[in-house]
């Protein structure tokens, strides 16, 4: 039974690690999208000034 508990703890650690990794990737994606939107807003305002 103790072996099963150790295995379960290891699996939970792996799940936690994977969730952290995915959270980090999601954070990077959000930052990239935000930066892209900021850049597009800047380009759009410059384009509108020329029109």
């Amino acid at each position: 039974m103790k072996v099963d508990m150790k295995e379960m703890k290891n699996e939970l650690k792996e799940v936690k690690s994977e969730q952290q990794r995915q959270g980090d990737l999601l954070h990077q994606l959000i930052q990239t999208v935000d930066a892209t939107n900021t850049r597009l807003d800047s380009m759009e305002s410059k384009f509108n000034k020329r029109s």
Side-chain angles (χ1 to χ4, degrees):
M1 187 105 180
K2 285 187 178 184
V3 173
D4 291 339
M5 290 298 285
K6 282 184 180 181
E7 287 178 19
M8 288 174 60
K9 285 182 182 180
N10 284 339
E11 287 181 20
L12 287 174
K13 284 181 184 178
E14 287 179 25
V15 168
K16 182 180 177 182
S17 177
E18 179 62 18
Q19 287 177 333
Q20 181 66 45
R21 186 187 73 81
Q22 289 180 5
D24 291 345
L25 290 172
L26 179 59
H27 181 70
Q28 289 175 6
L29 177 60
I30 291 169
Q31 287 181 320
T32 301
V33 169
D34 186 44
T36 301
N37 286 340
T38 300
R39 179 75 176 144
L40 287 173
D41 287 343
S42 173
M43 292 171 67
E44 184 178 38
S45 67
K46 289 177 184 178
F47 180 75
N48 288 337
K49 288 179 182 177
R50 292 181 186 174
S51 297

